[in-house]
Amino acid sequence: MRDVGVWPGSAVTAILVVSWISTASADEACLASAQSELERLYCEVVELGDGAGLPSLVDFKRNDQSVQVLLLRQPAKRLGLTLPEVSASHIPEAKPEPDPAMQSRESASESVSGLSINQRLAGCQLRGEVIQCPEEVYELVGNRTLASLEYGVLKPSNRLDIVPFGGKYNDNEAVRSYLSAAYDRYILKMLTIGLGANTMSFTAFHNAFHTLESGGVDFSERMEQTYELLKQDRKTLNVTTRNHDELPESLSLCEPIDRDVIVCDNVGTNWVFVRTN
């Protein structure tokens, strides 16, 4: 069962911690509507003439801070500007409040062996960074070095390829089924580019979908753009193996997405465990 808590929409977790230097030359009208350091930096980039590849300010504001960092990173670098710090400490904590329409995924997410989610975890034990099951062992994965990635995973041909949502937003079953399949694909594709420690929780994924779609932004297209930005960053930027030392407290927070991968989350933090045998 995958629960959805109340949490501000997010599209991806930032992979860097960056510093901030502000200047006061940006357009006053844009600055007047800016409500964060990133929005003020957006105004400055546009004012300095390097905003051609950026969305409108209205669309920019619809994104989570981590996506805003990705959008601004390259133009800011070209202009010699730095970015405000975005870290996990800025993410507000929230208690899970299950949405009845989103609670169960079993009908849409049976494992390759035909067992339900509850059956898959029967007899398993959570032991720190390891999930020990009767016949399988899963280990917590971190981010991988660039050199350890498989050949070609950072090329344009490696796409996220989440299909656009084609149902009705008030059809809870259709939304649940769509997000379940899309999230499972997202997790697997993040593993291919070595970012297992920087995945979104299902709650964040769910809220990103509703935030973007309700704002007129195609969720699948925006996720594809973000995935491409992450691939580009992986070519030149180092990442830490893990961003924190926190571990899941209970197996009740965990759920298999297939035979090889189990995802655990407490709404704000995500952990991915991969089968070792």
Side-chain angles (χ1 to χ4, degrees):
M1 180 174 69
R2 183 169 281 160
D3 293 342
V4 177
V6 177
W7 198 60
S10 173
V12 71
T13 305
I15 63 172
L16 295 178
V17 176
V18 286
S19 61
W20 167 249
I21 299 175
S22 64
T23 59
S25 62
D27 178 74
E28 292 183 3
C30 183
L31 283 173
S33 65
Q35 298 179 340
S36 70
E37 292 178 334
L38 282 168
E39 291 174 14
R40 285 190 285 274
L41 180 60
Y42 169 96
C43 296
E44 185 173 357
V45 167
V46 171
E47 174 68 11
L48 293 175
D50 203 359
L54 296 175
S56 68
L57 180 59
V58 172
D59 193 16
F60 181 80
K61 288 183 175 183
R62 292 185 179 125
N63 291 285
D64 173 78
Q65 283 190 343
S66 56
V67 178
Q68 292 177 349
V69 167
L70 289 172
L71 291 170
L72 290 173
R73 181 171 293 139
Q74 292 304 320
K77 182 179 179 180
R78 288 191 293 267
L79 293 169
L81 305 173
T82 50
L83 294 159
E85 181 177 336
V86 176
S87 67
S89 63
H90 294 123
I91 301 174
E93 297 182 357
K95 298 292 183 180
E97 295 181 10
D99 179 348
M102 299 294 296
Q103 284 185 356
S104 175
R105 297 181 64 242
E106 294 189 15
S107 61
S109 182
E110 290 191 353
S111 71
V112 292
S113 63
L115 298 178
S116 72
I117 289 168
N118 291 335
Q119 290 173 314
R120 285 294 317 282
L121 291 179
C124 297
Q125 293 183 319
L126 178 62
R127 297 175 176 174
E129 296 186 3
V130 173
I131 295 177
Q132 178 72 56
C133 295
E135 298 181 358
E136 297 163 328
V137 176
Y138 298 81
E139 290 185 354
L140 178 67
V141 298
N143 294 326
R144 294 167 56 188
T145 63
L146 179 62
S148 71
L149 300 182
E150 295 183 10
Y151 176 78
V153 296
L154 301 183
K155 292 185 175 181
S157 56
N158 179 29
R159 293 174 53 83
L160 184 59
D161 276 340
I162 293 176
V163 300
F165 179 64
K168 297 180 179 179
Y169 297 113
N170 61 356
D171 186 340
N172 292 326
E173 176 64 20
V175 171
R176 178 195 61 78
S177 180
Y178 170 78
L179 289 177
S180 173
Y183 184 74
D184 291 354
R185 181 169 182 82
Y186 159 76
I187 291 293
L188 296 176
K189 297 299 282 187
M190 288 290 282
L191 288 174
T192 67
I193 62 173
L195 293 178
N198 285 95
T199 58
M200 286 187 286
S201 69
F202 185 71
T203 293
F205 195 81
H206 163 271
N207 288 336
F209 169 79
H210 286 287
T211 298
L212 291 170
E213 293 282 341
S214 64
V217 179
D218 184 278
F219 172 74
S220 62
E221 182 178 339
R222 179 52 53 82
M223 289 297 294
E224 192 69 58
Q225 293 170 350
T226 301
Y227 190 65
E228 187 61 34
L229 288 170
L230 288 172
K231 288 193 300 175
Q232 294 303 314
D233 279 351
R234 286 254 51 194
K235 294 178 181 179
T236 58
L237 300 173
N238 294 322
V239 296
T240 57
T241 302
R242 290 181 61 185
N243 298 321
H244 55 81
D245 295 324
E246 186 180 2
L247 292 170
E249 297 179 354
S250 168
L251 200 61
S252 65
L253 302 175
C254 305
E255 178 180 329
I257 67 169
D258 64 14
R259 183 181 178 185
D260 296 320
V261 180
I262 295 174
V263 179
C264 308
D265 81 85
N266 62 3
V267 178
T269 303
N270 218 47
W271 299 269
V272 180
F273 292 77
V274 174
R275 186 167 66 98
T276 61
N277 60 327

